[in-house]
């Protein structure tokens, strides 16, 4: 009998300890302007609570967590509650989905709850609690547009302003619809601090918040629509009640406002008088082509800077590209932009810097460049032409064909009239269509004996390869030689990029020493290198130049260095390596 009683008590205790997790709401039917409280209650101390998505509602407050535990007549009770306050954003039947929580490795879920949302209801309130003014006619969101009929790529500004009755308090705002500005290039102007100002709207004085400032450049003609900006605003409205100090008591409310869609009639740029080289620049600009120098030696470099400064659509057009003679080697440009964007549009300077290296001695003209733009002030196209630039190469080898070397676009390799039909064969070699049998032919016996002839060669090659692989010291020297040539070649490729150039140059110098002096990286101290080079009959001047150049590689990576200095360092490295090749015994 006692055994059965114990089993009943154990079963009863397990029933009492059953885990419960449920959702409770303050009401299941409410108006669009009413708030809903929902509590997620668990009788155990669960973890990893996950709230539902609350689709169709906006969270006003929460989650707030409450935990309570009590002992009554020797029995304990526990309760953990997660509470939310929700505001519906749409009418109809809305389902609040399941929440989950974890306890002792098990996942528990609440049941979905159906909420019916009706039209806004008139709340019963004390007449003294009723607000003195309504938010409906005292808050406006306006989009001020600087120009509604611009040209393509002419800047316009959109300033979003929130006008409100000075007696109303604005506590918070959220964007419901954010414009995307399709077919516009857009730039947001940041607002550092939201400070209310005073302004006139519809003949009345209002408080004003400037919420957003946007600069737009239309990219095509026709009617372009600026999507509306919509906000959800929390406000405080004054009531007829006052506190013990005589101050007015405010009540909280909510208001949704929209600036409305705006249509911009964009005009196409006129076709009359449009230059052939027009690349889309609109505004007012100054155009310059500036060489860093015009007198230099063969192998030296100059920088040719093509720049445009002024105000307009600075980031939305391409600069003209210079055309240089064949004997001037021109590298891809480095583009630079120093552009500021304000409410009046973009202004500043953009430039392309070309590195040019002449190959032969002589005088090389660079043709004038033209830059065309549409002037908004006059409504006409304007073209600025640069001066012709002549590059004088004072020293260096002379080109075999000076005309081809100094004329842009002329090919160095030309075909004379006498060689136009040289490719046509004047004699034929006819081959008989009759085929000989392969079996028994010379080719058949040659292929049959070929494996026996190749076998001795394979044996000899294998022995030679084993001998080479066993020469660890010689292989290390060959590897260092290859690395020196590799990094020297890499340095030449990176001659326009300072930091990679000096890294590759330093590695080339070090690997050259490893190959010539048969030393490791750990032995490459300044004193040891100097001692070894001098002992191998290297001249003191060359040794000093080598050490100074390797030390300069580290410093030059972080210092301001011109392209001509980089070129000189490369030439110096080649000269030093060549001298050491001849001097080291």
């Amino acid at each position: 009998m006692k055994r059965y009683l114990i089993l009943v008590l154990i079963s009863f205790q397990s029933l009492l300890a059953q885990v419960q997790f449920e959702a409770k709401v303050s009401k299941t039917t409410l108006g669009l302007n009413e708030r809903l409280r929902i509590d997620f209650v668990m009788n155990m101390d669960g973890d990893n609570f996950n709230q539902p998505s609350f689709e169709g509602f906006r969270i006003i407050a929460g989650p707030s967590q409450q935990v309570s535990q009590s002992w009554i007549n020797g029995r304990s009770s526990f309760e953990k509650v997660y509470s939310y306050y929700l505001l519906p954003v749409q009418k109809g039947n809305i389902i609040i989905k399941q929440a989950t929580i974890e306890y002792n490795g098990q996942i528990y879920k609440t049941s979905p709850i159906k909420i019916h949302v009706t039209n806004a209801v008139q709340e019963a309130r004390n007449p003294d609690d009723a607000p003195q003014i309504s938010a409906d006619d005292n808050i406006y969101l306006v989009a001020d547009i600087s120009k509604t009929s611009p040209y393509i790529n002419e800047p316009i500004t959109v300033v979003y302003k929130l006008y409100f009755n000075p007696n109303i308090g604005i506590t918070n705002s959220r964007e419901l619809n954010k414009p995307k500005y399709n077919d516009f290039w857009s730039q947001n102007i940041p607002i550092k601090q939201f400070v209310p100002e005073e302004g006139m709207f519809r003949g009345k004085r209002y408080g004003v918040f400037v919420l957003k400032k946007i600069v737009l450049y239309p990219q095509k003609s026709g009617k372009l629509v600026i999507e509306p900006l919509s906000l959800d605003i929390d406000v405080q409205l004054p009531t007829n009640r006052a506190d013990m100090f005589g101050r007015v008591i405010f009540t909280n409310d909510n208001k949704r406002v929209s600036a409305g869609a705006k249509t911009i009639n964009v005009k196409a740029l006129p076709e009359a008088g449009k230059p052939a080289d027009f690349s889309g620049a609109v505004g007012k600009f100054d155009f310059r082509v500036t060489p860093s120098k015009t007198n230099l030696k063969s192998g030296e470099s100059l920088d040719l800077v093509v720049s445009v400064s002024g105000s307009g659509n600075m980031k939305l057009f391409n600069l003209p590209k210079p055309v240089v003679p064949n004997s001037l080697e021109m590298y891809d440009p480095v583009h630079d932009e120093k552009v500021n964007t304000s409410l009046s549009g973009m202004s500043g300077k953009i430039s392309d810097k070309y590195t040019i290296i002449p190959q032969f001695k002589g005088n090389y003209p660079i043709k004038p460049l033209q830059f065309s733009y549409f002037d908004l002030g006059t409504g006409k196209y304007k073209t600025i032409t640069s001066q012709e630039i002549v590059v004088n190469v004072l020293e260096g080898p002379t080109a075999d064909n000076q005309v081809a070397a100094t004329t842009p676009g002329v090919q160095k390799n030309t075909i004379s009239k006498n060689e136009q039909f040289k490719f046509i064969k004047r004699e034929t070699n006819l081959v008989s269509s009759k085929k000989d049998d392969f079996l028994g032919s010379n080719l058949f016996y040659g292929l049959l004996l070929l494996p026996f002839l190749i076998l001795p060669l394979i044996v000899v090659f294998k022995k030679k390869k084993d001998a080479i692989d066993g020469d660890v010291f010689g292989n290390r020297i060959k590897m260092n030689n290859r690395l020196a040539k590799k990094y020297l070649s890499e340095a030449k490729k990176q001659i326009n990029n300072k930091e990679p150039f000096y890294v590759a140059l330093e590695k080339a110098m070090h690997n050259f020493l490893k190959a010539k002096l048969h030393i490791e990286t750990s032995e490459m101290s300044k004193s040891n290198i100097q001692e070894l080079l001098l002992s191998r009959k290297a001249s003191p001047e060359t040794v000093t130049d080598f050490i100074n150049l390797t030390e300069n590689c580290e410093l030059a990576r972080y210092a301001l260095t011109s392209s001509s200095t980089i070129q000189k360092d490369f030439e110096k490295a080649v000269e030093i390596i060549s001298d050491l090749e001849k001097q080291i015994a």
Side-chain angles (χ1 to χ4, degrees):
M1 185 65 182
K2 290 182 179 180
R3 181 183 302 174
Y4 292 113
L5 183 59
I6 291 172
L7 290 175
V8 171
L9 290 175
I10 292 174
S11 300
F12 184 69
Q13 287 178 352
S14 63
L15 183 63
L16 290 177
Q18 183 178 1
V19 178
Q20 295 180 350
F21 182 48
E22 58 182 342
K24 300 178 181 180
V25 294
S26 57
K27 57 179 75 176
T28 56
T29 301
L30 69 157
L32 192 61
N33 60 334
E34 291 184 299
R35 290 170 171 78
L36 174 71
R37 173 171 175 163
I38 181 168
D39 297 325
F40 298 95
V41 185
M42 188 179 195
N43 65 339
M44 296 294 178
D45 190 9
D47 298 313
N48 300 326
F49 171 74
N50 290 318
Q51 68 185 45
S53 60
F54 295 122
E55 295 180 6
F57 291 91
R58 180 165 59 85
I59 299 175
I60 300 297
S64 62
Q65 179 179 333
Q66 297 178 354
V67 177
S68 62
Q69 189 170 7
S70 62
W71 292 83
I72 302 176
N73 296 329
R75 294 177 55 191
S76 65
S77 63
F78 180 88
E79 186 176 72
K80 176 183 278 190
V81 182
Y82 295 90
S83 300
Y84 294 83
Y85 286 91
L86 309 176
L87 180 68
V89 297
Q90 64 187 50
K91 295 187 296 182
N93 294 322
I94 304 175
I95 303 297
I96 297 178
K97 297 180 180 179
Q98 295 175 315
T100 62
I101 199 168
E102 182 179 350
Y103 179 72
N104 284 344
Q106 297 290 327
I107 301 297
Y108 296 89
K109 300 180 180 180
T110 61
S111 299
I113 300 178
K114 182 178 179 181
I115 304 297
H116 181 64
V117 181
T118 63
N119 292 323
V121 298
Q122 183 68 35
E123 299 181 15
R125 63 173 72 181
N126 189 322
D128 291 337
D129 292 335
Q132 297 177 2
I133 56 177
S134 170
D136 293 337
D137 300 325
N138 288 281
I139 300 179
Y140 301 94
L141 180 61
V142 177
D144 285 343
I145 300 178
S146 61
K147 195 169 187 178
T148 57
S149 57
Y151 283 105
I152 291 179
N153 274 318
E154 180 180 0
I156 63 173
T157 59
V158 183
V159 180
Y160 294 96
K161 298 179 180 179
L162 183 67
Y163 290 90
F164 61 94
N165 190 307
N167 296 319
I168 293 178
I170 307 293
T171 59
N172 194 16
S173 66
R174 292 163 294 276
E175 289 188 359
L176 298 176
N177 294 322
K178 189 174 183 179
K180 296 181 180 178
Y181 308 112
N182 296 324
D183 300 318
F184 290 93
W185 183 93
S186 63
Q187 175 70 53
N188 181 60
I189 306 298
I191 299 175
K192 296 181 180 179
Q193 189 174 5
F194 294 95
V195 179
E197 303 173 355
E198 287 189 359
M200 297 297 295
F201 181 70
R202 295 182 180 178
K204 295 181 180 180
R205 187 171 298 278
Y206 283 85
V208 183
F209 275 116
V210 177
L211 303 179
K212 294 173 72 73
K213 296 179 181 179
I214 307 292
V215 177
L216 303 177
Y217 283 83
Q219 297 301 294
K220 72 176 185 179
S221 59
K223 292 185 177 181
L224 304 184
V225 177
I226 298 178
E227 298 177 355
L229 172 67
S230 299
L231 300 177
D232 186 12
I233 302 174
D234 293 333
V235 297
Q236 290 182 330
L237 304 176
T239 66
N240 294 318
R241 294 193 302 125
D243 60 13
M244 59 184 298
F245 299 104
R247 294 175 298 194
V248 175
I249 295 177
F250 287 81
T251 182
N252 295 323
D253 203 348
N254 182 265
K255 173 69 176 176
R256 296 181 180 181
V257 291
S258 175
K262 303 293 181 182
T263 301
I264 307 297
N265 297 310
V266 182
K267 298 179 292 185
L269 297 176
E271 293 295 327
K274 180 184 289 188
D277 61 348
F278 178 69
S279 62
V282 177
K284 191 170 185 63
F285 305 102
D286 183 29
F287 175 65
R288 295 181 183 275
V289 179
T290 309
S292 60
K293 54 185 174 181
T294 55
N295 297 321
L296 65 163
K297 300 177 183 179
S298 174
E300 290 184 347
S301 65
L302 66 92
D303 292 333
L304 186 68
V305 180
V306 180
S307 63
V308 168
S309 59
S311 60
N313 58 332
M314 303 291 293
K315 299 182 180 181
L316 303 176
F317 60 83
N318 296 321
L319 294 172
K321 183 176 181 179
V323 179
V324 300
N326 289 333
S327 289
L328 299 181
E329 186 175 357
M330 184 172 68
Y331 293 87
D332 291 337
V334 177
H335 187 73
D336 183 45
E337 293 182 356
K338 294 182 176 64
V339 180
N340 296 320
T341 305
S342 63
L343 282 179
S344 59
M346 288 185 278
S347 62
K349 181 179 179 180
I350 60 174
S351 63
D352 286 340
K353 183 170 72 173
Y354 297 84
T355 298
I356 298 176
I357 302 177
Q359 302 298 314
F360 303 103
K361 179 181 178 180
N363 298 328
Y364 303 99
I366 298 177
K367 287 185 176 181
L369 297 183
Q370 289 186 338
F371 173 73
S372 301
Y373 67 94
F374 182 73
D375 190 348
L376 293 171
T378 61
K380 297 180 180 179
Y381 293 96
K382 292 186 177 181
T383 300
I384 304 176
T385 305
S386 66
Q387 298 292 326
E388 181 182 70
I389 298 171
V390 178
V391 179
N392 301 314
V393 183
L394 304 178
E395 298 180 12
T398 303
D400 295 335
N401 190 343
Q402 187 67 16
V403 175
T406 58
T407 305
V410 175
Q411 298 295 325
K412 297 179 182 178
N413 298 320
T414 58
I415 299 175
S416 64
K417 293 182 179 179
N418 296 330
E419 297 178 334
Q420 289 183 3
F421 301 101
K422 187 177 181 180
F423 65 94
I424 298 178
K425 297 181 67 174
R426 288 177 284 186
E427 297 180 359
T428 60
N429 295 321
L430 300 179
V431 179
S432 175
S433 60
K434 182 181 178 180
K435 296 183 178 180
D436 297 330
D437 292 335
F438 174 72
L439 188 63
S441 65
N442 293 334
L443 179 61
F444 170 77
Y445 290 111
L447 294 175
L448 186 64
L449 297 174
L450 184 62
F452 299 99
L453 297 175
I454 293 177
L455 189 60
L457 297 177
I458 294 175
V459 174
V460 173
F461 178 77
K462 179 68 168 56
K463 290 182 178 180
K464 187 174 182 180
K465 184 177 183 303
D466 292 341
I468 293 174
D469 293 340
D471 186 7
V472 178
F473 183 75
N475 289 336
R476 185 183 299 120
I477 294 175
K478 293 178 183 179
M479 175 61 71
N480 290 332
N481 269 323
R482 285 197 296 269
L483 288 175
K485 293 177 181 179
K486 172 188 172 183
Y487 286 118
L488 198 59
S489 175
E490 179 67 20
K492 186 175 182 180
K493 294 179 183 178
Q494 298 291 344
I495 201 164
N496 292 319
N497 299 317
K498 181 182 66 175
E499 187 170 347
F501 167 80
Y502 281 107
V503 170
L505 188 63
E506 186 178 9
K507 290 181 179 179
M509 303 287 282
H510 285 174
N511 282 285
F512 172 77
L513 273 192
K514 290 179 182 179
K516 290 299 177 184
L517 302 181
H518 315 317
I519 60 175
E520 297 298 328
T521 303
S522 58
E523 302 174 282
M524 295 186 67
S525 64
K526 178 180 177 181
S527 58
N528 192 33
I529 290 173
Q530 189 173 10
E531 181 181 349
L532 289 174
L533 287 175
L534 291 175
S535 66
R536 300 287 293 276
K537 309 302 182 183
S539 66
E541 295 81 5
T542 306
V543 173
T544 303
D545 290 343
F546 182 91
I547 293 174
N548 290 340
L549 184 58
T550 53
E551 291 178 345
N552 184 51
C553 287
E554 179 66 25
L555 298 175
R557 279 190 281 170
Y558 306 102
L560 294 175
T561 307
S562 64
S563 57
S564 60
T565 303
I566 295 175
Q567 180 67 31
K568 289 179 181 178
D569 287 344
F570 178 76
E571 294 172 356
K572 188 68 175 177
V574 174
E575 181 182 351
I576 292 172
I577 291 175
S578 178
D579 291 343
L580 290 176
E581 283 276 9
K582 300 173 184 176
Q583 296 171 7
I584 294 178

